[in-house]
Amino acid sequence: MQKGKSKRANVSGLEYFFSPKSVAVVGASRTPGKVGYTVLENFLKSGFPGKVFAVNPEAEEVLGVKCFKSVREIKETIELAVICVPEKFVLKVLQECAERKVKAVIIITAGFAETGNAKETMKLKEFIAKHRNMRFVGPNCLGVLDTQNKIDTLFLPFNRLGRPERGGISFISQSGALGSAVLDWAAMQGFGVGKFVSYGNAMDVDESDLLEYLDRDKETKVIALYIEGVGNGRKFFETLQQVGKQKPVIVIKGGVTSEGGKAVGSHTGSLAGSSEVYKALFKQTNAIYAETMQEVFDFARVFEFEPKIKGKKVQIITNGGGYGVLCTDAIIGAGLELAKMNEKAKSVIRKACPSYAIIANPIDLTGDANSERYRVALEQAMKAKEVDAVLLITLFQTPLLEESIVQIVRGFNEKKTKPLLVLSVGGEYCQKMNAMLERSKINVFDNPAEIALALKKLYEFFGSKR
Amino acid sequence: MQKGKSKRANVSGLEYFFSPKSVAVVGASRTPGKVGYTVLENFLKSGFPGKVFAVNPEAEEVLGVKCFKSVREIKETIELAVICVPEKFVLKVLQECAERKVKAVIIITAGFAETGNAKETMKLKEFIAKHRNMRFVGPNCLGVLDTQNKIDTLFLPFNRLGRPERGGISFISQSGALGSAVLDWAAMQGFGVGKFVSYGNAMDVDESDLLEYLDRDKETKVIALYIEGVGNGRKFFETLQQVGKQKPVIVIKGGVTSEGGKAVGSHTGSLAGSSEVYKALFKQTNAIYAETMQEVFDFARVFEFEPKIKGKKVQIITNGGGYGVLCTDAIIGAGLELAKMNEKAKSVIRKACPSYAIIANPIDLTGDANSERYRVALEQAMKAKEVDAVLLITLFQTPLLEESIVQIVRGFNEKKTKPLLVLSVGGEYCQKMNAMLERSKINVFDNPAEIALALKKLYEFFGSKR
């Protein structure tokens, strides 16, 4: 049986990809910009606490690190090897890694299955099948980013590809280019990422193994997954079913139309199927289906930072009628409901507001609302049993809304009694306020439809099924 | 017959709101932050070329402008008056404006219909109905922003509400708070705006009059409209039908669910109705229906900058397979098609690419594509008769893609032979490149679903119906 064809997820040895005590960069290059240069540079710059070895038969040293002629020459233990050599040298290097009992190998090198080099591909597959106590990521991949353990095999330079801060979202991507674009975008948006894996042709470690591993990873609160095709459908769906019971797994599938499927190309044993088939399968597995990468991260940050939701009754609080209306439409459109707060709570809010404020749902504190008016309304909504989640709209264009609103929202958010999401639309001042809110792990959105959809996913996962 | 109840749009005198030769700010205040202070300050700062008068019976001067005790005292012609006085003084001021033959009045003052002051409201309505050679915007509104003629009656300060640059999108908003939030957001996004009108309670000038006026306005290329309810449904739909034939009108409706409708409140004679009813009505009028404010501006900028589309065949060009797949799904999902470029064109591209590039649809130039590879592919796609629009994906994480791609895309875009839209996802470097593209009026998106939907709207407007 081929190792890659095992029916169950196999996490054995995966820890060496994420927390190795030592790493060898094979094909360390002296030329800035080259893959083997950037990978070595990353390990040196990232704060990786383990030992770093460089292998290059033609160089004395690269980036101040002494070069070994081959992996064989390194006498110390190598837990992880990152292979950046041309295709024709890969098998030889792997053989040496096996001799030196390397635990885990990331084969960044491209040029196997995807360009139809059948003979080399077969040899590589045979080698991997034979070496059952080694694990392999790749070939044709970006490899691993682990913000906790400071692993970074991404060969794209920092000035092109920003690295996100440490966080609870881990992201598995079948596409390296898509993965890196999204990672770069996430870094700019300020979304924290725990682990990122681009697993390429998946000759050994595949999406199922990674799902299972991330399920057990305490640092990972939410798993995001971009897939195009899966080599072993049954293994994938069984793993997803198991993992999805405990941890939110957000999945986006490329190639849901037949034309998109053609663009995916010929992935051996790929599950073909329309959007509807996939959605149905994902539903059975309790995975959270996303249609766009924007949705993936919208859902992920809501699952990461919000507490469990108990029902689908939402209280809207606003200082502008128009966005109150649009959010109402969005909440109802998503299949959620407007909460009906008790009269006592409403009368407390009414007392704190001028007569023209509308204490209903939405609560419209009106355009001259200050932070104190918000505080009273928020306090009542967060306390009211009739309210399962609060959607707070803060339009910062009105000069009477003070900066202290940030502390107030933060205070209620830290207690985490129920989900509290903020909608805030605007320009520079607004973005400054939003950034302050987001630094306190408050989820801020600028689109009523997106905030409602994210809340709906939270409800479907926690509220409706359990 | 009440003037506001006319069955046809009436644009008579509306020009005085947008290009008056003189303006009087009535209720000019000495207190920074107050409405009458900010409005006067805006006229002084904005570069308004006409005469500016200030009226305040209790001040000698405000912001260096001599104050008149009343409008009566101003002997020169007043074309526009902006009224910022408390509710109880409004009628008196209007009477004086009538005596001085003021052409147009913006009543910013709130507190009429929306707080149930029936008697004052009735008096105001009667006054407006009697004075048929004056036009009134408001009450309870932000008024007008005209970036061409430097009119700015928005009373929210610049540090909270950014003003967009001059552009071809004009925006009518029934909600002042929503309008200002969106304007602020548009300013930050770099979207140009021609005219913005917040028309409040619409006792005289309403959405239909403004639609008709903007239809005739050469500066306005696209009209965006946020409405909650319309006072005169027949007038509105007939105007929309007429205007939509020539100029793209993008409409978003607040209160499409029954709960949202309740939140809208009691607008006299409002058209109640579900989302489906409104969509059907908008379809009859050829208006472009949007579900979110994000969509409004996505559609608007595509209509503003793209040429007419002739069919629905799209060519995708990418340097990353994953986003090629997602864009394919999005294009097909939106009901558009993938173009089949002629073999001659494909062979020209093939010659400029390495063997592993995929010359199909999507064309995958692969991760090591440089600007020259893009240039060849773009040239052929822009020339090919089989292609109605080009969706160009530029993932800037790969260091081999040079900055010169911006000049190349700009060159093809300036010829405007067919729509050319860019999808670009990423962080800081990517945003820098995107900004350079956008300064050349190239539409850049970061979401395949959004770019496909915008193209679909363009096709529905130009390609399918004419």
Side-chain angles (χ1 to χ4, degrees), chain A residues 57-71:
Chain A
E58 289 165 16
E60 285 294 311
E61 56 102 26
V62 175
L63 285 158
V65 178
K66 176 202 161 186
C67 281
F68 293 90
K69 299 270 180 241
S70 89
V71 176

Side-chain angles (χ1 to χ4, degrees), chain B residues 108-120:
Chain B
I108 288 179
T109 312
F112 293 91
E114 68 283 8
T115 56
N117 190 340
K119 205 176 150 192
E120 286 299 307

Side-chain angles (χ1 to χ4, degrees), chain B residues 397-413:
Chain B
Q397 287 77 35
T398 65
L400 293 176
L401 183 55
E402 309 101 324
E403 234 179 86
S404 56
I405 184 74
V406 174
Q407 275 76 33
I408 290 168
V409 179
R410 187 185 294 156
F412 288 109
N413 190 61

Side-chain angles (χ1 to χ4, degrees), chain A residues 146-151 166 193-195 217 219:
Chain A
D146 185 323
T147 55
Q148 180 189 8
N149 299 308
K150 316 293 185 191
I151 308 289
R166 189 170 164 180
V193 167
K195 294 173 170 62
D217 177 41
E219 185 90 352

Side-chain angles (χ1 to χ4, degrees), chain A residues 344-383:
Chain A
K344 201 180 150 199
K346 286 206 267 185
S347 78
V348 173
I349 303 171
R350 204 169 281 122
K351 271 179 206 154
C353 289
S355 63
Y356 46 85
I358 299 157
I359 314 305
N361 199 352
I363 293 172
D364 188 353
L365 302 172
T366 75
D368 59 357
N370 58 4
S371 298
E372 175 58 15
R373 227 182 273 175
Y374 269 100
R375 192 192 60 72
V376 175
L378 250 179
E379 184 169 43
Q380 296 304 316
M382 292 303 279
K383 223 166 59 178

Side-chain angles (χ1 to χ4, degrees), chain B residues 335-352:
Chain B
L336 303 171
E337 291 170 14
L338 293 186
K340 286 181 183 134
M341 234 198 271
N342 62 78
E343 281 307 319
K344 200 180 152 200
K346 286 206 267 186
S347 79
V348 173
I349 303 171
R350 204 170 281 121
K351 271 180 205 153

